[in-house]
Amino acid sequence: MKPGEAEDLPESDAFAGAPHPRLAQGFVGHKAAEAELLSAYRDNRLAHAWLIGGPEGVGKATLAWRFARFLLANPDPSARLVREARDLNVDADHPAARRLAALAHPDFALVRREWKSNPKRLGTEIGVDDVRRALQVFQMSAAFGGWRICIVDCAEDLNRNSANALLKMIEEPPQRSLILIVSHRPGQVLPTVRSRCRRLRLDPLSVAEIVEVVSTLGSPWSEADPEAIAGAAGRANGSIREALRRLTPGSDGIGALIDTTIADLPRPDPRAVAKLAEALAGRAAVEAYAAFHRELYDWLAAYASRTASSTARAEELGALWDRIRAAARETDELNLDRRLHLLAIFAEIAATARRRG
């Protein structure tokens, strides 16, 4: 992506209408995780690859950008500013911070689903060419003589080929290189990638922490009714992204419908299924559609842990998971009818449950 484009095109790693994580100056919660990164850097024991895991919307990307900004601004771990730092904060006016905010730092690369010009939409996955292009940053000398850093957001968007391309760099990293991988479900990350990364887990935020974050986001979020913000935070399951989705005008009714329909799986009310499929089929329901899939994947994981009492059963549920993910990507990539896709998902889940008896 060229400098300046980030402000003009949709970004797959940001909530529409909210500031991108790279622009966040404050950081709420996760003080232990922040301290672990700072301590590892000070003590010269910084792993070259980190897998930052946790539920979606709890601040993983914000922490990754915060750490990248700190290293690019402070390339010497023995410097006084690093030794005396209480956290990873860097002033927004620092040259490294300004370059990073503009996606114009020569020693930084970002791997994410990118905007496609034909057809005009975000890609449905991170391709191998996307990874190879970004990792070229490690093949050149650092422009400022410090660190070269790549953020991958998120691991779930990698396909097998792009994950293997990333693995090759993780296995043979150059000096003073750092790869920060954001993952909403670390257990699904390619085992060979996962085993070569130092893992950092971020837990859901508290209701008070979500309210605090929302208050810093500016219009329209911080201007919402305080009771509405508190209510959205209370139903967000520790996720800022989920709270923002519920604060989006007209979305809370869909959120409640998603919650109740998922709660009734594997045998939900057919009328609720039809109503939900209709509500999520429109192009205006992009965030709700994505939220539905996130909740569905969480339900599938919990359902598998409760019911997979045999290898055959585990394989059956694993295959169901793969089919649903493949169908979701195909629906997005080929611009297929979302309503039919959603109805097919519920039909497959019901059929799988019936086979179990």
Side-chain angles (χ1 to χ4, degrees), residues 124-125 154-159 184-185 188-189 289 293-294 296-298 300 318-332 341 345 348:
T124 58
E125 62 183 12
C154 62
E156 286 72 23
D157 289 336
L158 295 164
N159 59 34
H184 311 314
R185 297 174 184 82
Q188 296 175 27
V189 175
Y289 178 77
H293 282 86
R294 291 193 297 270
L296 178 65
Y297 296 144
D298 289 342
L300 277 169
L320 173 63
W321 178 293
D322 290 340
R323 288 196 302 273
I324 290 175
R325 287 180 64 86
R329 283 186 169 172
E330 183 180 35
T331 299
D332 289 344
H341 161 63
I345 285 177
E348 275 224 67

PDB file of all heavy atoms in Angstrom, residues 124-125 154-159 184-185 188-189 289 293-294 296-298 300 318-332 341 345 348:
ATOM      1  N   THR A 124     -10.252 -11.687   0.488  1.00  0.00           N
ATOM      2  CA  THR A 124     -10.828 -12.602   1.476  1.00  0.00           C
ATOM      3  C   THR A 124      -9.768 -13.342   2.278  1.00  0.00           C
ATOM      4  O   THR A 124     -10.080 -13.987   3.277  1.00  0.00           O
ATOM      5  CB  THR A 124     -11.733 -13.638   0.780  1.00  0.00           C
ATOM      6  OG1 THR A 124     -10.963 -14.350  -0.189  1.00  0.00           O
ATOM      7  CG2 THR A 124     -12.903 -12.933   0.081  1.00  0.00           C
ATOM      8  N   GLU A 125      -8.506 -13.261   1.859  1.00  0.00           N
ATOM      9  CA  GLU A 125      -7.431 -13.908   2.581  1.00  0.00           C
ATOM     10  C   GLU A 125      -6.115 -13.208   2.258  1.00  0.00           C
ATOM     11  O   GLU A 125      -6.047 -12.361   1.355  1.00  0.00           O
ATOM     12  CB  GLU A 125      -7.338 -15.397   2.216  1.00  0.00           C
ATOM     13  CG  GLU A 125      -7.029 -15.658   0.757  1.00  0.00           C
ATOM     14  CD  GLU A 125      -7.009 -17.144   0.411  1.00  0.00           C
ATOM     15  OE1 GLU A 125      -7.449 -17.952   1.238  1.00  0.00           O
ATOM     16  OE2 GLU A 125      -6.541 -17.478  -0.690  1.00  0.00           O
ATOM     17  N   CYS A 154      -4.471 -10.618  10.350  1.00  0.00           N
ATOM     18  CA  CYS A 154      -4.238 -11.537  11.445  1.00  0.00           C
ATOM     19  C   CYS A 154      -3.871 -12.913  10.868  1.00  0.00           C
ATOM     20  O   CYS A 154      -4.058 -13.176   9.678  1.00  0.00           O
ATOM     21  CB  CYS A 154      -5.477 -11.645  12.322  1.00  0.00           C
ATOM     22  SG  CYS A 154      -6.915 -12.301  11.430  1.00  0.00           S
ATOM     23  N   ALA A 155      -3.407 -13.803  11.755  1.00  0.00           N
ATOM     24  CA  ALA A 155      -2.963 -15.129  11.326  1.00  0.00           C
ATOM     25  C   ALA A 155      -4.078 -15.936  10.687  1.00  0.00           C
ATOM     26  O   ALA A 155      -3.832 -16.755   9.796  1.00  0.00           O
ATOM     27  CB  ALA A 155      -2.396 -15.889  12.529  1.00  0.00           C
ATOM     28  N   GLU A 156      -5.328 -15.717  11.136  1.00  0.00           N
ATOM     29  CA  GLU A 156      -6.455 -16.491  10.606  1.00  0.00           C
ATOM     30  C   GLU A 156      -6.722 -16.193   9.138  1.00  0.00           C
ATOM     31  O   GLU A 156      -7.396 -16.973   8.459  1.00  0.00           O
ATOM     32  CB  GLU A 156      -7.717 -16.200  11.422  1.00  0.00           C
ATOM     33  CG  GLU A 156      -7.727 -16.842  12.797  1.00  0.00           C
ATOM     34  CD  GLU A 156      -6.767 -16.200  13.775  1.00  0.00           C
ATOM     35  OE1 GLU A 156      -6.390 -15.018  13.591  1.00  0.00           O
ATOM     36  OE2 GLU A 156      -6.374 -16.876  14.729  1.00  0.00           O
ATOM     37  N   ASP A 157      -6.212 -15.087   8.629  1.00  0.00           N
ATOM     38  CA  ASP A 157      -6.426 -14.735   7.227  1.00  0.00           C
ATOM     39  C   ASP A 157      -5.369 -15.324   6.299  1.00  0.00           C
ATOM     40  O   ASP A 157      -5.468 -15.195   5.077  1.00  0.00           O
ATOM     41  CB  ASP A 157      -6.443 -13.206   7.059  1.00  0.00           C
ATOM     42  CG  ASP A 157      -7.690 -12.580   7.656  1.00  0.00           C
ATOM     43  OD1 ASP A 157      -8.703 -13.294   7.780  1.00  0.00           O
ATOM     44  OD2 ASP A 157      -7.651 -11.382   8.001  1.00  0.00           O
ATOM     45  N   LEU A 158      -4.347 -15.948   6.860  1.00  0.00           N
ATOM     46  CA  LEU A 158      -3.324 -16.598   6.039  1.00  0.00           C
ATOM     47  C   LEU A 158      -3.869 -17.904   5.470  1.00  0.00           C
ATOM     48  O   LEU A 158      -4.579 -18.635   6.158  1.00  0.00           O
ATOM     49  CB  LEU A 158      -2.082 -16.911   6.880  1.00  0.00           C
ATOM     50  CG  LEU A 158      -1.288 -15.732   7.455  1.00  0.00           C
ATOM     51  CD1 LEU A 158      -0.358 -16.228   8.562  1.00  0.00           C
ATOM     52  CD2 LEU A 158      -0.489 -15.035   6.368  1.00  0.00           C
ATOM     53  N   ASN A 159      -3.539 -18.204   4.214  1.00  0.00           N
ATOM     54  CA  ASN A 159      -3.817 -19.541   3.710  1.00  0.00           C
ATOM     55  C   ASN A 159      -2.559 -20.392   3.919  1.00  0.00           C
ATOM     56  O   ASN A 159      -1.550 -19.909   4.444  1.00  0.00           O
ATOM     57  CB  ASN A 159      -4.265 -19.509   2.242  1.00  0.00           C
ATOM     58  CG  ASN A 159      -3.226 -18.892   1.307  1.00  0.00           C
ATOM     59  OD1 ASN A 159      -2.004 -19.045   1.514  1.00  0.00           O
ATOM     60  ND2 ASN A 159      -3.690 -18.192   0.293  1.00  0.00           N
ATOM     61  N   HIS A 184      -6.505 -14.257  16.627  1.00  0.00           N
ATOM     62  CA  HIS A 184      -7.718 -14.339  17.447  1.00  0.00           C
ATOM     63  C   HIS A 184      -7.929 -15.748  17.985  1.00  0.00           C
ATOM     64  O   HIS A 184      -8.611 -15.927  18.991  1.00  0.00           O
ATOM     65  CB  HIS A 184      -8.941 -13.921  16.625  1.00  0.00           C
ATOM     66  CG  HIS A 184      -8.747 -12.626  15.889  1.00  0.00           C
ATOM     67  ND1 HIS A 184      -8.209 -11.509  16.487  1.00  0.00           N
ATOM     68  CD2 HIS A 184      -8.999 -12.281  14.595  1.00  0.00           C
ATOM     69  CE1 HIS A 184      -8.151 -10.517  15.597  1.00  0.00           C
ATOM     70  NE2 HIS A 184      -8.626 -10.964  14.456  1.00  0.00           N
ATOM     71  N   ARG A 185      -7.356 -16.742  17.315  1.00  0.00           N
ATOM     72  CA  ARG A 185      -7.487 -18.140  17.734  1.00  0.00           C
ATOM     73  C   ARG A 185      -6.132 -18.828  17.546  1.00  0.00           C
ATOM     74  O   ARG A 185      -5.926 -19.551  16.570  1.00  0.00           O
ATOM     75  CB  ARG A 185      -8.578 -18.852  16.923  1.00  0.00           C
ATOM     76  CG  ARG A 185      -9.966 -18.264  17.133  1.00  0.00           C
ATOM     77  CD  ARG A 185     -10.999 -18.886  16.218  1.00  0.00           C
ATOM     78  NE  ARG A 185     -12.296 -18.240  16.392  1.00  0.00           N
ATOM     79  CZ  ARG A 185     -12.655 -17.096  15.806  1.00  0.00           C
ATOM     80  NH1 ARG A 185     -11.816 -16.489  14.972  1.00  0.00           N
ATOM     81  NH2 ARG A 185     -13.849 -16.565  16.033  1.00  0.00           N
ATOM     82  N   GLN A 188      -5.447 -22.361  16.175  1.00  0.00           N
ATOM     83  CA  GLN A 188      -5.636 -22.703  14.766  1.00  0.00           C
ATOM     84  C   GLN A 188      -4.444 -22.317  13.895  1.00  0.00           C
ATOM     85  O   GLN A 188      -4.409 -22.628  12.706  1.00  0.00           O
ATOM     86  CB  GLN A 188      -6.885 -22.006  14.232  1.00  0.00           C
ATOM     87  CG  GLN A 188      -8.162 -22.450  14.893  1.00  0.00           C
ATOM     88  CD  GLN A 188      -9.342 -21.636  14.404  1.00  0.00           C
ATOM     89  OE1 GLN A 188      -9.355 -21.123  13.295  1.00  0.00           O
ATOM     90  NE2 GLN A 188     -10.354 -21.514  15.235  1.00  0.00           N
ATOM     91  N   VAL A 189      -3.482 -21.610  14.474  1.00  0.00           N
ATOM     92  CA  VAL A 189      -2.304 -21.205  13.715  1.00  0.00           C
ATOM     93  C   VAL A 189      -1.493 -22.446  13.359  1.00  0.00           C
ATOM     94  O   VAL A 189      -1.407 -23.403  14.141  1.00  0.00           O
ATOM     95  CB  VAL A 189      -1.452 -20.214  14.531  1.00  0.00           C
ATOM     96  CG1 VAL A 189      -0.148 -19.878  13.809  1.00  0.00           C
ATOM     97  CG2 VAL A 189      -2.251 -18.947  14.796  1.00  0.00           C
ATOM     98  N   TYR A 289     -22.342  -9.330   9.887  1.00  0.00           N
ATOM     99  CA  TYR A 289     -22.078 -10.596   9.190  1.00  0.00           C
ATOM    100  C   TYR A 289     -20.763 -11.199   9.679  1.00  0.00           C
ATOM    101  O   TYR A 289     -20.674 -12.400   9.953  1.00  0.00           O
ATOM    102  CB  TYR A 289     -22.036 -10.321   7.689  1.00  0.00           C
ATOM    103  CG  TYR A 289     -21.719 -11.495   6.800  1.00  0.00           C
ATOM    104  CD1 TYR A 289     -22.678 -12.467   6.518  1.00  0.00           C
ATOM    105  CD2 TYR A 289     -20.470 -11.612   6.204  1.00  0.00           C
ATOM    106  CE1 TYR A 289     -22.385 -13.533   5.681  1.00  0.00           C
ATOM    107  CE2 TYR A 289     -20.171 -12.672   5.360  1.00  0.00           C
ATOM    108  CZ  TYR A 289     -21.130 -13.627   5.096  1.00  0.00           C
ATOM    109  OH  TYR A 289     -20.828 -14.678   4.263  1.00  0.00           O
ATOM    110  N   HIS A 293     -20.003 -14.740  12.141  1.00  0.00           N
ATOM    111  CA  HIS A 293     -19.039 -15.816  11.911  1.00  0.00           C
ATOM    112  C   HIS A 293     -18.090 -15.971  13.095  1.00  0.00           C
ATOM    113  O   HIS A 293     -17.731 -17.092  13.463  1.00  0.00           O
ATOM    114  CB  HIS A 293     -18.270 -15.564  10.615  1.00  0.00           C
ATOM    115  CG  HIS A 293     -19.045 -15.906   9.384  1.00  0.00           C
ATOM    116  ND1 HIS A 293     -19.900 -15.017   8.781  1.00  0.00           N
ATOM    117  CD2 HIS A 293     -19.123 -17.053   8.655  1.00  0.00           C
ATOM    118  CE1 HIS A 293     -20.454 -15.590   7.725  1.00  0.00           C
ATOM    119  NE2 HIS A 293     -20.013 -16.823   7.632  1.00  0.00           N
ATOM    120  N   ARG A 294     -17.697 -14.857  13.707  1.00  0.00           N
ATOM    121  CA  ARG A 294     -16.826 -14.961  14.885  1.00  0.00           C
ATOM    122  C   ARG A 294     -17.520 -15.726  16.005  1.00  0.00           C
ATOM    123  O   ARG A 294     -16.936 -16.620  16.625  1.00  0.00           O
ATOM    124  CB  ARG A 294     -16.421 -13.562  15.379  1.00  0.00           C
ATOM    125  CG  ARG A 294     -15.479 -12.822  14.456  1.00  0.00           C
ATOM    126  CD  ARG A 294     -14.868 -11.609  15.151  1.00  0.00           C
ATOM    127  NE  ARG A 294     -15.843 -10.608  15.537  1.00  0.00           N
ATOM    128  CZ  ARG A 294     -16.225  -9.598  14.769  1.00  0.00           C
ATOM    129  NH1 ARG A 294     -15.723  -9.471  13.556  1.00  0.00           N
ATOM    130  NH2 ARG A 294     -17.099  -8.700  15.204  1.00  0.00           N
ATOM    131  N   LEU A 296     -20.008 -17.790  15.688  1.00  0.00           N
ATOM    132  CA  LEU A 296     -20.250 -19.164  15.255  1.00  0.00           C
ATOM    133  C   LEU A 296     -19.001 -20.018  15.444  1.00  0.00           C
ATOM    134  O   LEU A 296     -19.082 -21.163  15.931  1.00  0.00           O
ATOM    135  CB  LEU A 296     -20.676 -19.186  13.781  1.00  0.00           C
ATOM    136  CG  LEU A 296     -20.911 -20.573  13.193  1.00  0.00           C
ATOM    137  CD1 LEU A 296     -22.102 -21.254  13.870  1.00  0.00           C
ATOM    138  CD2 LEU A 296     -21.128 -20.495  11.687  1.00  0.00           C
ATOM    139  N   TYR A 297     -17.821 -19.487  15.082  1.00  0.00           N
ATOM    140  CA  TYR A 297     -16.587 -20.242  15.252  1.00  0.00           C
ATOM    141  C   TYR A 297     -16.317 -20.515  16.735  1.00  0.00           C
ATOM    142  O   TYR A 297     -15.847 -21.604  17.098  1.00  0.00           O
ATOM    143  CB  TYR A 297     -15.408 -19.496  14.627  1.00  0.00           C
ATOM    144  CG  TYR A 297     -15.515 -19.336  13.125  1.00  0.00           C
ATOM    145  CD1 TYR A 297     -15.067 -18.178  12.493  1.00  0.00           C
ATOM    146  CD2 TYR A 297     -16.072 -20.335  12.335  1.00  0.00           C
ATOM    147  CE1 TYR A 297     -15.164 -18.023  11.118  1.00  0.00           C
ATOM    148  CE2 TYR A 297     -16.180 -20.178  10.962  1.00  0.00           C
ATOM    149  CZ  TYR A 297     -15.726 -19.031  10.355  1.00  0.00           C
ATOM    150  OH  TYR A 297     -15.831 -18.873   8.994  1.00  0.00           O
ATOM    151  N   ASP A 298     -16.621 -19.540  17.587  1.00  0.00           N
ATOM    152  CA  ASP A 298     -16.446 -19.761  19.025  1.00  0.00           C
ATOM    153  C   ASP A 298     -17.396 -20.860  19.516  1.00  0.00           C
ATOM    154  O   ASP A 298     -17.017 -21.707  20.335  1.00  0.00           O
ATOM    155  CB  ASP A 298     -16.716 -18.466  19.798  1.00  0.00           C
ATOM    156  CG  ASP A 298     -15.612 -17.425  19.600  1.00  0.00           C
ATOM    157  OD1 ASP A 298     -14.518 -17.805  19.163  1.00  0.00           O
ATOM    158  OD2 ASP A 298     -15.869 -16.234  19.866  1.00  0.00           O
ATOM    159  N   LEU A 300     -18.627 -23.312  17.701  1.00  0.00           N
ATOM    160  CA  LEU A 300     -18.146 -24.589  17.163  1.00  0.00           C
ATOM    161  C   LEU A 300     -17.003 -25.148  18.000  1.00  0.00           C
ATOM    162  O   LEU A 300     -16.941 -26.355  18.266  1.00  0.00           O
ATOM    163  CB  LEU A 300     -17.690 -24.407  15.712  1.00  0.00           C
ATOM    164  CG  LEU A 300     -18.773 -24.453  14.638  1.00  0.00           C
ATOM    165  CD1 LEU A 300     -18.202 -23.993  13.299  1.00  0.00           C
ATOM    166  CD2 LEU A 300     -19.349 -25.857  14.507  1.00  0.00           C
ATOM    167  N   GLY A 318     -14.263 -31.231  12.873  1.00  0.00           N
ATOM    168  CA  GLY A 318     -13.193 -30.493  12.209  1.00  0.00           C
ATOM    169  C   GLY A 318     -13.499 -30.266  10.742  1.00  0.00           C
ATOM    170  O   GLY A 318     -13.252 -29.178  10.195  1.00  0.00           O
ATOM    171  N   ALA A 319     -14.056 -31.274  10.108  1.00  0.00           N
ATOM    172  CA  ALA A 319     -14.434 -31.140   8.696  1.00  0.00           C
ATOM    173  C   ALA A 319     -15.567 -30.135   8.528  1.00  0.00           C
ATOM    174  O   ALA A 319     -15.590 -29.360   7.565  1.00  0.00           O
ATOM    175  CB  ALA A 319     -14.853 -32.501   8.143  1.00  0.00           C
ATOM    176  N   LEU A 320     -16.515 -30.135   9.480  1.00  0.00           N
ATOM    177  CA  LEU A 320     -17.601 -29.150   9.440  1.00  0.00           C
ATOM    178  C   LEU A 320     -17.037 -27.740   9.556  1.00  0.00           C
ATOM    179  O   LEU A 320     -17.435 -26.833   8.808  1.00  0.00           O
ATOM    180  CB  LEU A 320     -18.578 -29.422  10.589  1.00  0.00           C
ATOM    181  CG  LEU A 320     -19.690 -28.384  10.794  1.00  0.00           C
ATOM    182  CD1 LEU A 320     -20.602 -28.320   9.573  1.00  0.00           C
ATOM    183  CD2 LEU A 320     -20.497 -28.709  12.057  1.00  0.00           C
ATOM    184  N   TRP A 321     -16.120 -27.537  10.477  1.00  0.00           N
ATOM    185  CA  TRP A 321     -15.447 -26.239  10.648  1.00  0.00           C
ATOM    186  C   TRP A 321     -14.808 -25.806   9.331  1.00  0.00           C
ATOM    187  O   TRP A 321     -14.978 -24.662   8.883  1.00  0.00           O
ATOM    188  CB  TRP A 321     -14.403 -26.379  11.746  1.00  0.00           C
ATOM    189  CG  TRP A 321     -13.570 -25.159  12.023  1.00  0.00           C
ATOM    190  CD1 TRP A 321     -12.649 -24.570  11.199  1.00  0.00           C
ATOM    191  CD2 TRP A 321     -13.577 -24.378  13.218  1.00  0.00           C
ATOM    192  NE1 TRP A 321     -12.093 -23.485  11.804  1.00  0.00           N
ATOM    193  CE2 TRP A 321     -12.633 -23.342  13.036  1.00  0.00           C
ATOM    194  CE3 TRP A 321     -14.269 -24.458  14.422  1.00  0.00           C
ATOM    195  CZ2 TRP A 321     -12.362 -22.385  14.018  1.00  0.00           C
ATOM    196  CZ3 TRP A 321     -14.000 -23.510  15.393  1.00  0.00           C
ATOM    197  CH2 TRP A 321     -13.072 -22.493  15.197  1.00  0.00           C
ATOM    198  N   ASP A 322     -14.050 -26.709   8.710  1.00  0.00           N
ATOM    199  CA  ASP A 322     -13.356 -26.374   7.456  1.00  0.00           C
ATOM    200  C   ASP A 322     -14.342 -26.021   6.344  1.00  0.00           C
ATOM    201  O   ASP A 322     -14.105 -25.098   5.557  1.00  0.00           O
ATOM    202  CB  ASP A 322     -12.468 -27.542   7.022  1.00  0.00           C
ATOM    203  CG  ASP A 322     -11.268 -27.739   7.933  1.00  0.00           C
ATOM    204  OD1 ASP A 322     -10.916 -26.783   8.655  1.00  0.00           O
ATOM    205  OD2 ASP A 322     -10.696 -28.846   7.935  1.00  0.00           O
ATOM    206  N   ARG A 323     -15.449 -26.761   6.258  1.00  0.00           N
ATOM    207  CA  ARG A 323     -16.432 -26.485   5.205  1.00  0.00           C
ATOM    208  C   ARG A 323     -17.072 -25.113   5.392  1.00  0.00           C
ATOM    209  O   ARG A 323     -17.285 -24.375   4.419  1.00  0.00           O
ATOM    210  CB  ARG A 323     -17.512 -27.570   5.191  1.00  0.00           C
ATOM    211  CG  ARG A 323     -17.036 -28.912   4.668  1.00  0.00           C
ATOM    212  CD  ARG A 323     -18.201 -29.826   4.313  1.00  0.00           C
ATOM    213  NE  ARG A 323     -19.104 -30.068   5.436  1.00  0.00           N
ATOM    214  CZ  ARG A 323     -18.926 -31.026   6.331  1.00  0.00           C
ATOM    215  NH1 ARG A 323     -17.874 -31.822   6.253  1.00  0.00           N
ATOM    216  NH2 ARG A 323     -19.818 -31.210   7.304  1.00  0.00           N
ATOM    217  N   ILE A 324     -17.381 -24.781   6.635  1.00  0.00           N
ATOM    218  CA  ILE A 324     -18.006 -23.485   6.897  1.00  0.00           C
ATOM    219  C   ILE A 324     -17.044 -22.350   6.566  1.00  0.00           C
ATOM    220  O   ILE A 324     -17.422 -21.355   5.933  1.00  0.00           O
ATOM    221  CB  ILE A 324     -18.482 -23.405   8.362  1.00  0.00           C
ATOM    222  CG1 ILE A 324     -19.669 -24.339   8.576  1.00  0.00           C
ATOM    223  CG2 ILE A 324     -18.862 -21.966   8.737  1.00  0.00           C
ATOM    224  CD1 ILE A 324     -20.129 -24.427  10.021  1.00  0.00           C
ATOM    225  N   ARG A 325     -15.792 -22.484   6.975  1.00  0.00           N
ATOM    226  CA  ARG A 325     -14.807 -21.435   6.671  1.00  0.00           C
ATOM    227  C   ARG A 325     -14.593 -21.293   5.170  1.00  0.00           C
ATOM    228  O   ARG A 325     -14.502 -20.182   4.630  1.00  0.00           O
ATOM    229  CB  ARG A 325     -13.477 -21.739   7.370  1.00  0.00           C
ATOM    230  CG  ARG A 325     -13.510 -21.499   8.876  1.00  0.00           C
ATOM    231  CD  ARG A 325     -12.175 -21.812   9.514  1.00  0.00           C
ATOM    232  NE  ARG A 325     -11.128 -20.935   9.055  1.00  0.00           N
ATOM    233  CZ  ARG A 325     -10.852 -19.745   9.592  1.00  0.00           C
ATOM    234  NH1 ARG A 325     -11.554 -19.304  10.613  1.00  0.00           N
ATOM    235  NH2 ARG A 325      -9.872 -19.007   9.138  1.00  0.00           N
ATOM    236  N   ALA A 326     -14.517 -22.435   4.472  1.00  0.00           N
ATOM    237  CA  ALA A 326     -14.322 -22.393   3.019  1.00  0.00           C
ATOM    238  C   ALA A 326     -15.527 -21.768   2.327  1.00  0.00           C
ATOM    239  O   ALA A 326     -15.377 -20.965   1.388  1.00  0.00           O
ATOM    240  CB  ALA A 326     -14.068 -23.803   2.487  1.00  0.00           C
ATOM    241  N   ALA A 327     -16.721 -22.112   2.793  1.00  0.00           N
ATOM    242  CA  ALA A 327     -17.936 -21.547   2.195  1.00  0.00           C
ATOM    243  C   ALA A 327     -18.021 -20.051   2.439  1.00  0.00           C
ATOM    244  O   ALA A 327     -18.453 -19.292   1.562  1.00  0.00           O
ATOM    245  CB  ALA A 327     -19.158 -22.248   2.771  1.00  0.00           C
ATOM    246  N   ALA A 328     -17.604 -19.598   3.624  1.00  0.00           N
ATOM    247  CA  ALA A 328     -17.629 -18.165   3.930  1.00  0.00           C
ATOM    248  C   ALA A 328     -16.693 -17.403   3.014  1.00  0.00           C
ATOM    249  O   ALA A 328     -17.042 -16.337   2.480  1.00  0.00           O
ATOM    250  CB  ALA A 328     -17.269 -17.943   5.393  1.00  0.00           C
ATOM    251  N   ARG A 329     -15.502 -17.953   2.814  1.00  0.00           N
ATOM    252  CA  ARG A 329     -14.540 -17.273   1.941  1.00  0.00           C
ATOM    253  C   ARG A 329     -15.023 -17.277   0.487  1.00  0.00           C
ATOM    254  O   ARG A 329     -14.893 -16.280  -0.236  1.00  0.00           O
ATOM    255  CB  ARG A 329     -13.170 -17.939   2.052  1.00  0.00           C
ATOM    256  CG  ARG A 329     -12.441 -17.562   3.330  1.00  0.00           C
ATOM    257  CD  ARG A 329     -11.037 -18.111   3.381  1.00  0.00           C
ATOM    258  NE  ARG A 329     -10.293 -17.513   4.487  1.00  0.00           N
ATOM    259  CZ  ARG A 329      -9.091 -17.906   4.884  1.00  0.00           C
ATOM    260  NH1 ARG A 329      -8.488 -18.901   4.249  1.00  0.00           N
ATOM    261  NH2 ARG A 329      -8.482 -17.301   5.885  1.00  0.00           N
ATOM    262  N   GLU A 330     -15.579 -18.392   0.052  1.00  0.00           N
ATOM    263  CA  GLU A 330     -16.077 -18.469  -1.320  1.00  0.00           C
ATOM    264  C   GLU A 330     -17.235 -17.500  -1.532  1.00  0.00           C
ATOM    265  O   GLU A 330     -17.325 -16.833  -2.570  1.00  0.00           O
ATOM    266  CB  GLU A 330     -16.519 -19.898  -1.634  1.00  0.00           C
ATOM    267  CG  GLU A 330     -16.989 -20.073  -3.075  1.00  0.00           C
ATOM    268  CD  GLU A 330     -17.425 -21.489  -3.366  1.00  0.00           C
ATOM    269  OE1 GLU A 330     -17.991 -22.136  -2.455  1.00  0.00           O
ATOM    270  OE2 GLU A 330     -17.219 -21.953  -4.496  1.00  0.00           O
ATOM    271  N   THR A 331     -18.109 -17.398  -0.540  1.00  0.00           N
ATOM    272  CA  THR A 331     -19.231 -16.468  -0.649  1.00  0.00           C
ATOM    273  C   THR A 331     -18.750 -15.039  -0.802  1.00  0.00           C
ATOM    274  O   THR A 331     -19.255 -14.275  -1.630  1.00  0.00           O
ATOM    275  CB  THR A 331     -20.141 -16.587   0.596  1.00  0.00           C
ATOM    276  OG1 THR A 331     -20.661 -17.913   0.659  1.00  0.00           O
ATOM    277  CG2 THR A 331     -21.291 -15.601   0.536  1.00  0.00           C
ATOM    278  N   ASP A 332     -17.743 -14.661  -0.020  1.00  0.00           N
ATOM    279  CA  ASP A 332     -17.207 -13.305  -0.114  1.00  0.00           C
ATOM    280  C   ASP A 332     -16.455 -13.090  -1.418  1.00  0.00           C
ATOM    281  O   ASP A 332     -16.612 -12.060  -2.081  1.00  0.00           O
ATOM    282  CB  ASP A 332     -16.279 -13.030   1.072  1.00  0.00           C
ATOM    283  CG  ASP A 332     -17.047 -12.883   2.378  1.00  0.00           C
ATOM    284  OD1 ASP A 332     -18.273 -12.689   2.321  1.00  0.00           O
ATOM    285  OD2 ASP A 332     -16.430 -12.972   3.442  1.00  0.00           O
ATOM    286  N   HIS A 341     -25.992 -18.809   1.851  1.00  0.00           N
ATOM    287  CA  HIS A 341     -24.823 -19.295   2.591  1.00  0.00           C
ATOM    288  C   HIS A 341     -25.171 -19.520   4.062  1.00  0.00           C
ATOM    289  O   HIS A 341     -24.844 -20.569   4.641  1.00  0.00           O
ATOM    290  CB  HIS A 341     -23.681 -18.287   2.455  1.00  0.00           C
ATOM    291  CG  HIS A 341     -22.603 -18.425   3.486  1.00  0.00           C
ATOM    292  ND1 HIS A 341     -21.822 -19.553   3.607  1.00  0.00           N
ATOM    293  CD2 HIS A 341     -22.188 -17.567   4.465  1.00  0.00           C
ATOM    294  CE1 HIS A 341     -20.964 -19.393   4.612  1.00  0.00           C
ATOM    295  NE2 HIS A 341     -21.171 -18.209   5.143  1.00  0.00           N
ATOM    296  N   ILE A 345     -25.352 -23.046   6.292  1.00  0.00           N
ATOM    297  CA  ILE A 345     -24.576 -23.285   7.513  1.00  0.00           C
ATOM    298  C   ILE A 345     -25.447 -23.942   8.584  1.00  0.00           C
ATOM    299  O   ILE A 345     -25.080 -24.972   9.168  1.00  0.00           O
ATOM    300  CB  ILE A 345     -24.004 -21.955   8.052  1.00  0.00           C
ATOM    301  CG1 ILE A 345     -22.823 -21.496   7.214  1.00  0.00           C
ATOM    302  CG2 ILE A 345     -23.565 -22.115   9.522  1.00  0.00           C
ATOM    303  CD1 ILE A 345     -22.261 -20.151   7.657  1.00  0.00           C
ATOM    304  N   GLU A 348     -26.307 -27.518   7.761  1.00  0.00           N
ATOM    305  CA  GLU A 348     -25.184 -28.447   7.974  1.00  0.00           C
ATOM    306  C   GLU A 348     -24.993 -28.751   9.453  1.00  0.00           C
ATOM    307  O   GLU A 348     -24.737 -29.893   9.842  1.00  0.00           O
ATOM    308  CB  GLU A 348     -23.902 -27.835   7.401  1.00  0.00           C
ATOM    309  CG  GLU A 348     -23.718 -28.092   5.915  1.00  0.00           C
ATOM    310  CD  GLU A 348     -22.284 -28.485   5.609  1.00  0.00           C
ATOM    311  OE1 GLU A 348     -21.855 -29.586   6.046  1.00  0.00           O
ATOM    312  OE2 GLU A 348     -21.614 -27.695   4.941  1.00  0.00           O
TER     313      GLU A 348
END
